[in-house]
Structures are given as C-alpha cells and as structure tokens.
C-alpha cells in the first residue's frame, strides 16, 4: 500500500519548532481550507510517498501490540451520549476484544464495566436497554447501576463472602463531545488534544437507529480503505458523488488523532459569507 502523506512532524501532531502539541483546527479554518480547494481544484496531499509493508497487516504480534497500546490504553469512542438518555440506559458490546457494558447511573454519571458476573463470568447485559439493575441470568447475582453487588440468591452457601469486595470490574469512562469514551487499561495515555474539538453530537440530538457489522479484516485495512475520498467517483458515482466531491479531503492531525473532512456541495454557500 502506498500513497502521499503529510510530513512526519505534522503526522506526530507537533508544531514545528516550538515543541507544543498541535490543537485541532477550528470549524472556520476547516471550512476555509475546503473552499480554497474548491476554488483551486486541489486537495490536501503529502510531501512524500509512504509505503506500508504488507507484514504490518498480517502480523499477529503487531495486532496484539496495537490492541494493548492503542485500543485499550487510549480513550476510544464507545457510543454516543444520546444512546444513554436516562438513568438505567445501557449499551453492552465488545470493544478491543473485551465485552463491556456502559450505563448511566441514577446520579446521571456514565460508568463502564467489564460485562462479566464475578461468580462464573456470565455476561450480565446484552444489546441495549434500560434497567434498574443487572441480573446475571445464570445464578441471579444482582448488581446495581454503580456496579455494586447487591444480591446473591441463597447467600448462606457462600460463607464469609464479602459482596462489597466483588463489584463489577470498572473501566474508565468519560463523556466528551457528545460521545462516551472508554479507556480499558491503566495507565491511560496522556492526551488532552481533543479539547479543541467542537461537540460532535449536540445535546438536543436523539439517537435514531443503530447498526452493527463485522468484517473479517485487519482493523487498519478497513479504516484506511474507507477513510479517504480518493475512491468516491469510482465507487459511489450515484450515492455520494452527486452530493459531494471527488478526491477533496482536508486532513487534520493533532495529538494522537487524525480527522478527515469530506465536504458536501452545499458548503459552497459559505463562500459568500464573511469568515466569522
């Protein structure tokens, strides 16, 4: 796999010369860069050609390292905040190979747990829904929305067992930008580079529908093949192309993150407005 990439200093998210972390572009800057590309018939391109060895997509050792060092130690989007509209709302699914459940508590706070009963490891929740407690379907062990173990049927069969010491195993969860972010392993990687982003999902937006698909591919192949606008004209001539542009991307690199903007044709209306 080969293609033009941005210079490596920018790719690492650092401003040349001053040693500071680069912040995300604001919306006005992104819009202006898009309008400039439309006017000039250009797109963001890199300063050199990058060739990615095939082995990096086939190595089990590399995949294991990526899961451990990136997908489990970084704040990773788990679901929109809108998926948890009220106390007891939960989403249960697998993330980086681990079943998790995220729930909004009675105090309004979002918490995340490994989706495994502390008795025999049975998952205590599936899919999405709203519940006052999580009840394991195997033996009926019951956990509250804060993860505490509250009830064991026939508890006399477990003499000396301390319920307080055996809650659901918590993982770090936070709400930012209208998303629930989960960090599974500690120590979490320091990363404050998301602070410059505007809210991705506004508080008044509601979840309309969800879908889940599973692909038997390396995760990087799926992302790299999908997150680029070079294929739009050839692959989506009747769906996306009439509303968008072919091969017009704005690439923003900040911290450990990257953002790709695909504009719609209607952005051209902004060209007539003052930048503010």
């Amino acid at each position: 796999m080969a293609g033009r990439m941005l210079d490596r200093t920018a790719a690492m998210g650092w401003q040349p010369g001053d040693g500071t972390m680069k912040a995300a572009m604001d919306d006005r800057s992104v819009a202006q860069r898009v309008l400039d590309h439309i006017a000039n018939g250009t797109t963001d391109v890199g300063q050199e050609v990058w060739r990615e060895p095939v082995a990096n997509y086939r190595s089990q050792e590399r995949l294991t390292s990526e899961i451990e060092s990136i997908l489990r130690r970084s704040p990773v989007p788990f679901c929109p905040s809108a998926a948890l509209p009220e106390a007891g709302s939960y989403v249960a699914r697998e993330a980086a190979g681990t079943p998790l459940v995220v729930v909004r508590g009675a105090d309004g706070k979002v918490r995340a747990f490994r989706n495994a009963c502390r008795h025999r490891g049975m998952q205590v929740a599936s899919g999405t829904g709203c519940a006052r407690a999580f009840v394991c379907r195997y033996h009926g062990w019951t956990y509250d929305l804060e993860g505490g173990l509250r009830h064991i049927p026939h508890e006399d069969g477990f003499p000396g067992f301390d319920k307080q010491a055996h809650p659901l195993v918590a993982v770090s969860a936070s709400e930012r930008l209208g998303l629930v972010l989960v960090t599974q392993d500690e120590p979490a990687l320091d990363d404050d580079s998301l602070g410059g982003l505007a809210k991705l999902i506004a508080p008044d937006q509601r979840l309309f529908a969800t879908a889940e698909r599973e692909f038997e591919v390396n995760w990087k192949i799926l992302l790299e093949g999908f997150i680029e606008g070079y294929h739009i004209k050839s692959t989506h001539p009747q769906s996306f192309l009439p509303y968008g542009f072919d091969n017009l991307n704005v690439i923003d690199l900040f911290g450990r993150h990257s953002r790709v903007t695909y504009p719609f044709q209607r952005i051209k209306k902004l060209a007539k407005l003052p930048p503010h």
Side-chain angles (χ1 to χ4, degrees):
M1 181 175 290
R4 295 282 293 278
M5 66 169 291
L6 298 179
D7 71 274
R8 299 192 184 193
T9 303
M12 291 188 293
W14 296 89
Q15 292 280 36
D18 62 8
T20 59
M21 185 69 74
K22 179 180 179 295
M25 296 171 60
D26 59 33
D27 289 348
R28 186 186 303 177
S29 299
V30 173
Q32 187 59 59
R33 187 183 290 185
V34 169
L35 294 173
D36 290 344
H37 282 319
I38 294 172
N40 298 319
T42 56
T43 188
D44 278 7
V45 295
Q47 298 179 7
E48 61 180 294
V49 173
W50 176 270
R51 297 184 181 275
E52 190 69 31
V54 173
N56 289 347
Y57 301 94
R58 300 178 60 86
S59 168
Q60 181 60 48
E61 292 78 15
R62 186 181 182 95
L63 175 62
T64 299
S65 177
E66 290 167 350
I67 291 174
E68 292 176 352
S69 63
I70 300 175
L71 301 181
R72 296 181 63 88
R73 289 185 61 205
S74 301
V76 175
F78 185 86
C79 67
S81 292
L84 307 172
E86 58 184 315
S89 298
Y90 68 86
V91 174
R93 66 176 183 82
E94 188 176 291
T98 301
L100 300 178
V101 57
V102 170
V103 60
R104 191 174 299 282
D107 57 359
K109 182 179 179 180
V110 168
R111 296 175 177 84
F113 307 97
R114 293 181 186 171
N115 189 6
C117 179
R118 296 302 301 275
H119 178 214
R120 291 288 187 179
M122 181 79 172
Q123 293 189 16
V124 299
S126 62
T128 62
C130 191
R132 290 183 294 180
F134 296 115
V135 181
C136 178
R137 292 178 296 169
Y138 197 2
H139 296 100
W141 287 35
T142 303
Y143 303 84
D144 61 29
L145 301 181
E146 289 72 45
L149 177 57
R150 291 292 175 258
H151 175 66
I152 298 177
H154 307 291
E155 190 172 348
D156 56 343
F158 300 85
F161 185 80
D162 183 2
K163 293 199 298 290
Q164 300 297 319
H166 293 82
L168 294 175
V169 177
V171 299
S172 298
S174 62
E175 287 189 272
R176 301 180 68 180
L177 312 171
L179 299 172
V180 175
L181 305 175
V182 170
T183 306
Q184 295 192 43
D185 288 346
E186 303 292 344
L189 296 170
D190 291 334
D191 186 358
D192 59 0
S193 57
L194 293 176
L197 289 177
K199 226 178 224 311
L200 301 177
I201 302 176
D204 60 343
Q205 290 182 293
R206 298 292 178 262
L207 190 64
F208 174 72
T210 63
E212 184 173 331
R213 288 186 288 176
E214 190 168 317
F215 299 91
E216 294 293 331
V217 297
N218 181 280
W219 70 286
K220 299 186 299 296
I221 288 181
L222 181 63
L223 285 177
E224 293 168 356
F226 183 72
I227 307 298
E228 47 94 338
Y230 181 44
H231 71 278
I232 289 174
K233 184 175 182 179
S234 300
T235 309
H236 307 292
Q238 296 178 334
S239 56
F240 190 86
L241 182 62
Y243 304 98
F245 298 87
D246 181 48
N247 199 32
L248 199 170
N249 305 306
V250 169
I251 312 297
D252 189 16
L253 303 171
F254 53 99
R256 294 166 50 82
H257 309 282
S258 62
R259 176 175 57 171
V260 184
T261 298
Y262 311 99
F264 285 96
Q265 289 278 348
R266 61 177 179 262
I267 198 174
K268 291 189 288 189
K269 295 186 296 183
L270 296 181
K272 302 177 181 179
L273 299 177
H276 67 272

